[in-house]
Amino acid sequence: MIDFDNELNEAQREAVTTTEGPVLVIAGAGSGKTRTIVYRLAHLVNQGVDPAQILLLTFTRKASQEMLARAESILGRSLHTASGGTFHSFSYATLRMNSADIGFDNGFTLMDRADSENICKDVRDEMGLGKGDRSYPKKATLLDMITKSRNKELPIDAIMEREAYHLSPYLEDMLKISDGYAQFKREHALVDYDDLLFLLDKLLATNEPLRNQLQARYRYIMVDEYQDTNLVQARIVKHLAGTRGNVMAVGDDAQSIYAFRGANVANILEFPKIFEGTKIVRLEKNYRSVQPILDLTNEILKGATTKFDKHLYSDLKSDTLPQVVHPLSDQTQARLVVDQILELGRRYMLHDVAVLFRAGYQSFPLEVALTRIGIDYQKFGGIRFHEAAHVKDVLSYIRLVLNPHDLLAWQRAMEHIKGVGPKTVAKIYRAMHSGLENDKKYMAKMLKKHEPLQELLAELNRLRSTVQKPSAVLEAVLAFYQPILIEKYPDDYPKRQAGLEQLSQIAVGYTEMEQFIGDLSLDGDPEDEKRKENAVVLSTVHSAKGLEWSAVIIIDLVEDRFPSRKAMQRAEDLEEERRLMYVACTRAKRELKLFVPGSVYNRASGMSDPTLPSPFVLELPDSVFERLNESYGGGLEQRRRAYEPPAPVLARNEDEGPSPEPAAPKADPSKLGFCKHKIFGRGKIIAQLESNKFRVNFPGFGLKVIIGDYLELL
């Protein structure tokens, strides 16, 4: 007998025991979603349902196997006749048994990703496209555009406009390659992973006898992570269940964060409309986080425009509120985060502490800071700083400014030059350093033959001849490298550019080149796929979904970073960013810290630009968090007053703009002249407005109205 009373809460019991008709389980973060599915499996069999009549669809094979195994443990019997697996595995098995009905009389062959990429390349070559064009999209990018178009069911030009505008010159070619790819598969009885879903959808839509047969066989259907389904997967579920079938979809609309893969949040939002008489069960009791963290996440969800209402609650109590930390800038943010990690390390093992961010490049300054003081870390999502090819490229130039005898750096710096391979690099290296007459002639020949080599040597000589700060050297290197970046990485150079902006931000904190390159060249242990013991976790929010830590720090909570710049342009994208924020905050079990830097370094101006805090932070009532501001001494000071945006937000043109902390000495109302502000830098006092307010012109920022307490006279 299954002990529902002790093993399940009231909402979970309702979901488990409601077995007839369509059921939608809205499972809030940490609410025991998997337990609910497992107990429902066990309950169905315990009620006399033949396991062969159960179909469990998940997004990973491991998830379905784990759920079935746990249900077997509860029942004490095997469920090997139950069907459990991914949408793709179910589609493959069904299509294999009905291959003639989809036009493959002699069967078909399923291709893997590498096969599909190679066919794209063969089709491109067969059409004679991209010959001699080194910037032509790689085969992986060609396939990505095709598969995104299919999964989102949008034309390639729409995908390109939203996600890869820099590839628009190749649109016509991509359309031809897409058609050629589809034709090649048909002619050779080949099927890719996307085809599995679309072929099954078409088969079920047109073959009524088969559809009826499958509906009769699978009387009970359960779908996990329904918020992550795409349009074709939702249609398959409808074909299998009918509009009144015994289908249970489990998911959380607030955790739908994979639109870039084709997931469509409308599937779960419109489930009750698609399946008549749907019973909605909300799992709102959270078993992961303390109540103060849930109070904050509930506030985040309040701002969503389209949603299933839910209110997470917990029996886990805490007297500590989540913290919203305001560093003066992104340049001080990394140091403050390291301080927080060290403090949290006194209470938790480091692998139970995570720093989350919107995009992989945002952790670069933190990676350098952690490596410098010897704190081990493991990164998930994005590329580790030291593994990023474009970062290695730039560092090779800087290494050559310091050390012309660095052969490895020469090899990397020259690898983009056409016709210069490793052997030629070795010859050039020897010729540059030998001083022999024959080598001088060889160098002259190489310089005449390879203009890019001539440009490289001239730039390195120029940089060596002047003593400059690391930031200035890097600025020159980046200007030199920009056309190389575009040519070498044509598929994704805009994304890589963002990482190089972070490199510029790191450089500002250094005065010596040797120290700068030394810190950047230090590397930790190689990445392990398994979780490391006592290593702090750095992760993108997407990679953190489904995981949890005792303490979570979220960084760069400002506009253009979280939410991302692209997301600010479309309402539906901004909604997904809100869900991403919810996912990030609900990873925390006991402590949550949100970092909102007051300014961000701008490489173009060489100054720090004021930021707008993330709207998800601005919306929070002051009752759900404790605010901490970075003081001019570098520490954190508590602010108990109601929430106020940091200084750079208020300090707009002709608006009042108090800074977070005063600087000394105060501006004297009787004197006008030059002054200095912690965020805006050096400025000219134009006028005194009131006894302690001044209009100041800051180069690069324009006119600001500032309280005199926050100005230092020069």
Side-chain angles (χ1 to χ4, degrees), residues 535-554:
V536 67
V537 174
L538 309 183
S539 177
T540 60
V541 182
H542 284 101
S543 296
K545 187 172 179 289
L547 303 176
E548 60 184 39
W549 296 271
S550 287
V552 169
I553 299 170
I554 308 173

Side-chain angles (χ1 to χ4, degrees), residues 99-172:
S99 59
D101 294 331
I102 56 173
F104 296 113
D105 294 333
N106 298 314
F108 60 85
T109 300
L110 177 63
M111 304 183 296
D112 61 16
R113 169 82 190 194
D115 295 330
S116 297
E117 287 184 5
N118 288 333
I119 291 173
C120 284
K121 180 180 182 299
D122 291 344
V123 169
R124 181 195 70 191
D125 294 345
E126 181 86 16
M127 293 179 173
L129 301 174
K131 284 187 177 179
D133 184 353
R134 298 182 67 185
S135 297
Y136 204 86
K138 297 180 178 63
K139 59 184 180 181
T141 301
L142 295 172
L143 181 62
D144 281 343
M145 297 300 290
I146 293 171
T147 194
K148 281 187 177 184
S149 171
R150 298 197 70 194
N151 278 288
K152 295 189 177 187
E153 300 188 31
L154 292 170
I156 287 178
D157 59 343
I159 300 295
M160 188 174 288
E161 183 179 351
R162 291 185 183 186
E163 302 182 26
Y165 190 73
H166 61 287
L167 297 178
S168 55
Y170 301 103
L171 174 60
E172 292 301 319

Side-chain angles (χ1 to χ4, degrees), residues 53 63 83 315 342 392 422 445 631 708:
Q53 294 183 314
S83 297
D315 291 337
L342 291 170
K392 288 183 177 179
K445 176 184 173 184
S631 68

Side-chain angles (χ1 to χ4, degrees), residues 555-622:
I555 62 172
D556 276 353
L557 283 167
V558 295
E559 283 191 12
D560 290 351
R561 294 196 175 188
F562 200 159
S564 67
R565 182 172 302 172
K566 284 196 295 186
M568 301 295 291
Q569 299 167 10
R570 300 173 70 240
E572 58 264 47
D573 291 344
L574 187 58
E575 282 293 286
E576 178 151 327
E577 294 288 305
R578 179 182 297 280
R579 298 193 292 269
L580 202 60
M581 179 70 173
Y582 164 79
V583 168
C585 293
T586 53
R587 300 310 95 197
K589 294 191 288 186
R590 300 202 62 80
E591 298 189 50
L592 176 64
K593 300 173 188 290
L594 312 179
F595 274 70
V596 186
S599 65
V600 171
Y601 179 73
N602 184 332
R603 182 170 66 87
S605 67
M607 302 173 71
S608 288
D609 291 342
T611 60
L612 291 171
S614 169
F616 312 134
V617 174
L618 287 176
E619 292 170 359
L620 295 174
D622 62 285

Side-chain angles (χ1 to χ4, degrees), residues 42-101:
H43 176 66
L44 285 169
V45 176
N46 198 51
Q47 292 294 107
V49 174
D50 183 348
Q53 294 183 314
I54 299 173
L55 173 62
L56 172 63
L57 293 173
T58 61
F59 275 82
T60 65
R61 190 164 60 108
K62 181 181 177 183
S64 62
Q65 290 175 338
E66 179 187 334
M67 290 176 187
L68 289 168
R70 286 174 59 179
E72 287 177 340
S73 177
I74 293 170
L75 289 166
R77 57 166 288 189
S78 172
L79 295 180
H80 71 277
T81 57
S83 297
T86 64
F87 277 91
H88 291 90
S89 65
F90 174 78
S91 299
Y92 180 66
T94 306
L95 293 173
R96 291 289 293 179
M97 291 186 289
N98 301 274
S99 59
D101 294 331

Side-chain angles (χ1 to χ4, degrees), residues 406-426:
D406 189 336
L407 176 58
L408 295 178
W410 280 115
Q411 289 173 340
R412 185 151 202 117
M414 291 190 208
E415 68 178 15
H416 73 283
I417 302 175
K418 191 175 181 179
V420 177
K423 291 182 179 178
T424 305
V425 172

